[in-house]
Amino acid sequence: MAQQQQRLGTLVFYSDFDDFGAWQKALQAQLPDLKVVHSSALERPEDVHYAMVWKPPEGFFQQMPNLRLIVNLGAGVDALVSRSDLPAGIPITRITDPNMSRMMAGYVLFAVLRHARDIPHFEQAQRRGEWAYRHPRSPEEIAVAVLGLGHLGAMAASEVQRQGFRTLGWSRSQRLIEGVECFSGIETLDTVLGQADIVVLMLPLTPHTKGLFDRARLERLRPGAAFVNVARGALVDQAALTALLQSGHIGSATLDVFEREPLPADDPLWGIPQVLITPHLASVAIPSSSARQIAANILRVAEGEEPMDVVDPGRGY
Ligand SMILES: NC(=O)c1ccc[n+]([C@@H]2O[C@H](COP(=O)([O-])OP(=O)(O)OC[C@H]3O[C@@H](n4cnc5c(N)ncnc54)[C@H](OP(=O)(O)O)[C@@H]3O)[C@@H](O)[C@H]2O)c1
């Protein structure tokens, strides 16, 4: 055991959001010989071969000369890859767990159905004590655009399609998803937006996607369209989105992510009745199921192989 621990070395954990105990238990169930230590209790930084982190402090990695792998504790790597203190040549992996994709697909489906079934209209009518009948539209009359068709977006698009909605997908490279009309490249974005009744953002935050949904682009949405953002707040000009919701050009929104989080108490978005706000929880990393993928990567690295699901820092995702 001591020999194997020596072989696998130590994994150091840092996150202010995630439950260390749950991750330690899940990782050690997969790799009993891996030493899993919280960064606050780390005594021998030279033994650390793996770092599993969510927003660690500046200079975190510098004390670990034998680091071999950085595991981003989540699907979105924007906060990590934009740092200037990353050690050169150390692979970064992220969590890609089917259960995490399912959790996200569930949220997206909920948001799409909320808009497709005019729930914001009924919620407001209820507050007024009004029986405000609005005849339901059938799903095939409603077009849903899922922007970003990665691990999370592809499953969400398939779930939306399974409900009978006309489903459009958009990504950087051309994708093929059964039943989904797939588009790729910036030159097709406005065409996709112009056809959609419900737009769902599932893109990573990169230098190419930051601010992509500025006022001009948001104005290309169909009048009355619904807007769902489960990706990152910085993809969108939030002031422009707010103004377009207030004017009614954008009919309703379900927002899980914001330019500033927590969303400040005086932000005008809180007061717009047709907006649903959730505090960045559309999907979270699940220790019991994600540990398998992380353990497999640790074993690969321990054997001198390349890990899977490596992030390309140049590409930003
Ligand atoms: N709200 C939450 O709770 C929560 C939880 C987890 C993740 N997230 C967010 O969800 C994002 C997506 O996650 P994921 O795992 O699905 O990511 P992913 O597997 O890396 O997929 C990203 C998708 O976006 C596309 N894309 C990237 N840059 C693009 C560009 N410039 N133009 C067009 N398409 C572009 C990619 O195109 P290609 O297919 O051509 O590569 C791919 O389809 C994460 O980055 C994170 O920010 C949010």
Side-chain angles (χ1 to χ4, degrees):
M1 169 110 166
Q3 205 181 13
Q4 274 184 321
Q5 268 198 356
Q6 223 173 16
R7 180 173 72 86
L8 285 181
T10 299
L11 178 143
V12 67
F13 178 97
Y14 184 97
S15 169
D16 289 336
F17 297 92
D18 300 272
D19 178 352
F20 170 64
W23 279 103
Q24 186 183 41
K25 193 168 156 222
L27 287 167
Q28 287 186 329
Q30 295 293 322
L31 300 173
D33 305 323
L34 178 73
K35 193 169 170 189
V36 181
V37 182
H38 194 279
S39 66
S40 59
L42 181 65
E43 285 174 358
R44 292 176 52 85
E46 64 274 21
D47 290 349
V48 172
H49 289 166
Y50 321 98
M52 185 166 162
V53 295
W54 184 251
K55 300 189 178 171
E58 186 74 23
F60 181 79
F61 304 104
Q62 275 154 25
Q63 40 165 341
M64 298 160 199
N66 297 313
L67 196 59
R68 297 178 187 171
L69 176 69
I70 299 173
V71 180
N72 183 64
L73 232 174
V77 292
D78 44 286
L80 191 59
V81 295
S82 59
R83 292 168 70 115
S84 56
D85 65 342
L86 286 177
I90 307 297
I92 298 173
T93 59
R94 67 196 195 99
I95 291 178
T96 55
D97 169 21
N99 286 356
M100 193 180 181
S101 304
R102 196 169 303 131
M103 190 188 277
M104 178 59 98
Y107 184 102
V108 169
L109 199 53
F110 152 75
V112 165
L113 292 171
R114 174 174 182 265
H115 297 293
R117 295 305 307 263
D118 298 314
I119 300 301
H121 164 80
F122 298 119
E123 281 170 346
Q124 288 169 61
Q126 180 176 343
R127 277 184 215 112
R128 296 191 300 270
E130 230 176 75
W131 185 268
Y133 186 87
R134 187 181 273 186
H135 200 68
R137 293 167 289 170
S138 86
E140 60 273 19
E141 293 169 37
I142 299 172
V144 180
V146 177
L147 311 182
L149 298 172
H151 284 274
L152 303 179
M155 188 186 277
S158 293
E159 287 296 314
V160 167
Q161 185 273 334
R162 228 161 47 87
Q163 289 294 319
F165 294 101
R166 180 180 167 217
T167 309
L168 307 148
W170 185 73
S171 53
R172 202 171 56 98
S173 57
Q174 187 63 36
R175 297 269 150 178
L176 199 65
I177 302 173
E178 203 183 334
V180 178
E181 296 168 50
C182 291
F183 295 78
S184 62
I186 191 73
E187 62 286 357
T188 64
L189 179 55
D190 288 346
T191 310
V192 173
L193 291 179
Q195 296 182 58
D197 301 295
I198 301 172
V199 173
V200 186
L201 294 200
M202 303 195 73
L203 294 162
L205 176 61
T206 72
H208 289 112
T209 61
K210 188 166 193 246
L212 187 60
F213 298 88
D214 58 11
R215 188 178 182 110
R217 187 151 273 123
L218 289 170
E219 281 173 347
R220 297 208 179 98
L221 264 67
R222 283 180 166 180
F227 190 78
V228 178
N229 189 1
V230 290
R232 285 290 183 265
L235 297 177
V236 182
D237 177 343
Q238 193 168 299
L241 174 65
T242 305
L244 290 167
L245 280 159
Q246 285 164 333
S247 75
H249 180 80
I250 297 181
S252 53
T254 301
L255 304 173
D256 186 53
V257 289
F258 303 88
E259 273 175 357
R260 260 184 73 196
E261 294 176 8
L263 184 66
D266 60 353
D267 194 284
L269 278 173
W270 289 111
I272 304 177
Q274 64 276 27
V275 175
L276 176 66
I277 289 170
T278 54
H280 198 149
L281 42 62
S283 183
V284 295
I286 308 160
S288 55
S289 53
S290 303
R292 247 171 280 142
Q293 178 221 1
I294 297 165
N297 270 336
I298 287 175
L299 287 176
R300 289 176 75 90
V301 170
E303 298 297 334
E305 291 169 31
E306 286 292 310
M308 311 280 280
D309 299 305
V310 174
V311 172
D312 178 349
R315 204 176 60 161
Y317 71 102

